[in-house]
């Protein structure tokens, strides 16, 4: 492994014309057909490229006729015939959580692996549900010219998976009696399977190929294990049902790590797998519920060192009486409890569900995760639109028909952009190693905490005192 980790991105245009957010409405009643029409002077050649595409739609070319909302045509038209409008097709993308802006940003990052730049500045909200109510503190900039992705000081993004003993124990012969089996990956993220299943075997192979390039792990369901060549098996994380884990031991022989769906016989199954392969790491995928903390503690006491906490695709837990928490709050509870018990380093927490943007990765780590699982963004990178009305039997854009090398490179590009943004965050915090970010809630501000501190005196005041001011 090279000393300096680098993700090699390659410009890879999408297979489809992107759905732009903006468009221009052209009212032609008073058009005088000016020879110096502002459309021909578009800074991004949107009209010219769109006309070329309409004349020869089958000609292979990069779809670059997406309106950038620079307003130059609207402001420059001498007759005032052009107006800017939101594209209804864009507004129909995604759902309440996977918003159109998230999907569009993911597409752009997957094109070339670059950090998206908004020329008009940040237009979003400064508070809201989920991760939006959490602000990272990036005020401790140290030597700005040498930090971040353009700096000369190396920032490590590698993390360890496995239990780290609090002390070393040796026997009479001087041999270590409690060796730790750790897997190091070079980015704090694994490539997880989509919550509604993989559309095709080709996309599973693409995810594994991307994991190989990124030096991380790709979650592969049991039904697709046989399709992965032996040379790539060190980059996969088999996902098995607890009851069926011992039926395919031949396929599991070369695995460094195995993940099991939580079940009643999980402890017995894990022990039998260790008898078969004493060096294998066992991870348990726990559905985020109201009692997730108790389940994590029980699994730790039973010797399970890797817990994959899985929320739904909106990042919510399965709660009681319709009351659910976001994964951010579940992580803070579990991490804080493990710290109080003095066993935090004995457990690796993987968080998945609701990880939609690059900023969500460091935010999840700050809340207590060791690494995250990225799932739906990988599908979005190759064109998925996160259909609102459920998940179709036949994908409307044919995700399953994507070429393996094409899909893999788009995934690598996306994670390359996320990796660059993670380095920017760490550099702005003055942190040289991402492991130090875990549980550092002092590096963030939470809107709920700020509001509670700001208005606590009002909560204690009597109605008469509030009325009197």
């Amino acid at each position: 492994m090279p000393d300096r980790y680098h993700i090699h991105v390659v410009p890879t245009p999408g297979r489809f014309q992107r759905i732009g957010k903006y468009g221009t409405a052209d009212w032609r009643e008073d058009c005088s057909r000016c020879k110096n029409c502002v459309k021909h002077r578009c800074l991004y050649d949107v009209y010219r490229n769109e006309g070329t595409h309409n004349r020869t739609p089958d000609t292979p070319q990069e779809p670059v006729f997406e309106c950038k909302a620079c307003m130059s045509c609207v402001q420059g038209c001498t007759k005032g015939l052009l107006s800017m409008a939101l594209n209804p097709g864009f507004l129909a993308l995604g759902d309440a959580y996977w918003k159109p802006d998230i999907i569009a940003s993911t597409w752009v990052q997957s094109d070339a692996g670059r950090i998206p730049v908004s020329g008009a500045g940040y237009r979003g909200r400064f508070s809201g549900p989920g991760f939006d109510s959490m602000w990272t503190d990036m005020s401790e900039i140290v030597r700005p010219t040498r930090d971040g992705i353009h700096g000369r000081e190396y920032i490590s993004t590698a993390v360890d998976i496995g239990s780290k003993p609090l002390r070393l124990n040796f026997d009479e012969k001087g041999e270590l009696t409690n060796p730790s089996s750790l897997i190091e990956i070079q980015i704090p993220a694994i490539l997880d399977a989509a919550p509604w299943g993989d559309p095709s075997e080709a996309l599973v192979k693409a995810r594994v190929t991307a994991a190989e390039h990124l030096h991380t792990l790709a979650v592969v369901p049991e039904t697709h294990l046989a399709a992965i060549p032996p040379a790539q098996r060190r980059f996969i994380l088999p996902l098995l049902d607890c009851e069926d884990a011992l039926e395919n031991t031949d396929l599991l022989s070369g695995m460094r790590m195995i993940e099991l769906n939580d079940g009643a016989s999980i402890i017995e199954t894990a022990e039998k797998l260790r008898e078969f392969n004493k060096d294998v790491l066992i991870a348990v995928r726990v559905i985020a519920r109201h009692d997730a903390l108790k389940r994590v503690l029980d699994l730790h006491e039973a010797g399970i060192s890797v817990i994959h906490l899985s929320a739904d695709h909106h990042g919510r837990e399965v709660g009681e009486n319709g009351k659910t928490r976001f994964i951010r709050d579940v992580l803070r509870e579990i991490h804080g409890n493990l710290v109080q018990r003095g066993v935090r380093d004995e457990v690796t927490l993987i968080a998945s569900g609701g990880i939609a943007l690059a900023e969500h990765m460091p935010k999840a780590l700050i809340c207590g995760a060791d690494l995250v699982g990225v799932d739906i963004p990988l599908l979005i990178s190759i064109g998925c639109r996160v259909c609102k009305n459920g998940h179709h039997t036949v994908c409307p854009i044919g995700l399953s028909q994507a070429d393996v090398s094409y899909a893999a490179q788009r995934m690598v590009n996306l994670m390359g952009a996320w990796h660059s943004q993670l380095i920017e965050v760490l550099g702005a915090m003055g942190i040289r190693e991402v492991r130090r970010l875990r549980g550092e809630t002092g590096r963030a501000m939470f809107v709920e905490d700020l509001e509670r501190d700001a208005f606590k005196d009002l909560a204690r005041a009597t109605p008469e005192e509030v009325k009197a001011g």
Side-chain angles (χ1 to χ4, degrees):
M1 182 64 62
D3 293 334
R4 290 178 176 266
Y5 175 64
H6 176 71
I7 297 177
H8 182 62
V9 298
V10 177
T12 308
R15 294 187 299 159
F16 307 100
Q17 163 62 16
R18 287 199 298 267
I19 301 175
K21 183 175 184 178
Y22 300 99
T24 54
D26 187 352
W27 307 96
R28 295 179 178 271
E29 287 82 357
D30 297 326
C31 180
S32 59
R33 300 293 190 269
C34 302
K35 293 183 179 180
N36 59 342
C37 179
V38 290
K39 291 184 178 181
H40 300 302
R41 292 180 287 159
C42 175
L43 298 175
Y44 300 97
D45 286 334
V46 170
Y47 298 101
R48 182 179 292 106
N49 292 331
E50 185 175 13
T52 302
H53 176 77
N54 291 336
R55 287 191 297 271
T56 55
D58 297 331
T59 302
Q61 64 172 351
E62 183 177 356
V64 289
F65 46 93
E66 178 185 347
C67 179
K68 306 297 182 182
C70 67
M71 299 291 288
S72 64
C73 62
V74 176
Q75 295 173 346
C77 181
T78 57
K79 297 291 186 177
L81 302 180
L82 300 177
S83 61
M84 191 65 61
L86 288 172
N87 184 357
F90 178 85
L91 298 177
L93 293 173
D95 57 24
Y97 185 85
W98 297 88
K99 300 182 183 298
D101 286 320
I102 292 178
I103 296 175
S105 176
T106 303
W107 285 342
V108 172
Q109 292 175 85
S110 304
D111 287 342
R114 292 193 295 265
I115 297 177
V117 177
S118 176
Y122 177 71
R123 303 178 185 179
R125 303 168 61 184
F126 283 97
S127 67
F131 285 121
D132 288 341
S133 62
M134 178 181 174
W135 307 333
T136 54
D137 177 16
M138 297 189 295
S139 60
E140 300 184 15
I141 299 178
V142 186
R143 293 192 297 276
T145 57
R146 301 181 66 181
D147 286 334
I149 57 176
H150 303 294
R152 288 178 291 171
E153 294 186 4
Y154 181 61
I155 298 177
S156 172
T157 57
V159 293
D160 301 316
I161 303 176
S163 176
K164 300 177 183 177
L166 300 179
R167 62 186 63 85
L168 299 179
N169 298 325
F170 299 89
D171 59 16
E172 296 178 353
K173 298 181 179 179
E175 297 180 356
L176 193 64
T177 59
N178 60 337
S180 60
S181 178
L182 296 176
I183 295 177
E184 183 183 70
I185 58 177
Q186 296 301 309
I187 187 172
I190 60 173
L191 309 186
D192 205 356
W196 52 79
D198 288 298
S200 69
E201 185 176 284
L203 289 185
V204 176
K205 292 181 178 179
R207 195 166 64 245
V208 174
T209 302
E212 182 178 7
H213 282 79
L214 297 167
H215 298 285
T216 184
L217 299 173
V219 176
V220 177
E222 182 180 9
T223 53
H224 294 293
L225 282 177
I228 307 302
Q232 289 184 316
R233 289 189 177 180
R234 64 186 306 268
F235 299 105
I236 72 173
L237 175 55
L239 176 60
L240 312 173
D241 287 331
C242 182
E243 294 76 14
D244 304 329
L246 299 174
E247 294 182 2
N248 294 319
T249 53
D250 292 338
L251 288 175
L252 304 179
S253 58
M255 305 301 175
R256 298 186 294 168
M257 182 175 169
I258 297 173
E259 181 167 307
L260 302 174
N261 286 315
D262 197 9
S265 59
I266 192 72
I267 305 303
E268 294 78 3
T269 302
E271 290 177 352
K272 291 179 181 179
L273 285 173
R274 289 196 189 98
E275 292 177 1
F276 174 72
N277 184 353
K278 64 181 181 64
D279 296 323
V280 69
L281 271 177
I282 304 294
V284 175
R285 183 180 288 247
V286 176
I287 301 299
R289 304 179 188 273
H290 64 280
D291 59 348
L293 171 61
K294 181 180 183 304
R295 185 55 179 161
V296 169
L297 295 177
D298 290 343
L299 290 172
H300 168 257
E301 291 179 0
I304 301 297
S305 60
V306 183
I307 309 293
H308 186 161
L309 187 66
S310 177
D312 68 14
H313 67 289
H314 286 179
R316 311 295 301 187
E317 68 175 356
V318 179
E320 290 184 326
N321 302 322
K323 296 181 179 179
T324 61
R325 296 174 297 170
F326 193 69
I327 191 170
R328 181 200 71 172
D329 304 309
V330 182
L331 283 172
R332 292 184 69 183
E333 178 188 40
I334 295 175
H335 171 78
N337 198 285
L338 292 174
V339 170
Q340 290 179 357
R341 293 170 179 264
V343 295
R344 182 61 188 88
D345 284 338
E346 297 179 7
V347 178
T348 297
L349 275 180
I350 306 173
S352 66
I355 307 298
L357 292 168
E359 66 187 56
H360 294 173
M361 182 160 54
K363 286 183 176 181
L365 269 57
I366 288 174
C367 291
D370 291 275
L371 62 153
V372 300
V374 182
D375 43 28
I376 295 179
L378 300 178
L379 294 181
I380 297 176
S381 70
I382 53 177
C384 180
R385 301 176 182 183
V386 192
C387 301
K388 286 184 178 179
N389 56 339
H391 310 292
H392 303 274
T393 303
V394 179
C395 177
I397 62 169
L399 279 180
S400 60
Q401 300 173 10
D403 179 71
V404 172
S405 58
Y406 159 82
Q409 190 58 59
R410 295 277 294 182
M411 294 177 185
V412 170
N413 288 350
L414 176 64
M415 297 311 299
W418 282 30
H419 179 257
S420 296
Q421 292 178 76
L422 175 63
I423 290 178
E424 288 289 286
V425 171
L426 295 174
M429 290 182 177
I431 295 178
R432 295 291 175 268
E433 188 177 16
V434 74
R435 295 181 180 95
R436 288 185 50 205
L437 195 61
R438 187 193 69 186
E440 284 286 339
T441 53
R443 296 283 187 175
M445 295 177 287
F446 300 87
V447 172
E448 299 87 350
D449 298 341
L450 296 175
E451 290 179 344
R452 183 174 57 252
D453 293 340
F455 300 112
K456 60 184 178 182
D457 293 335
L458 290 179
R460 291 197 299 263
T462 64
E464 292 77 13
E465 291 174 337
V466 173
K467 185 177 181 180

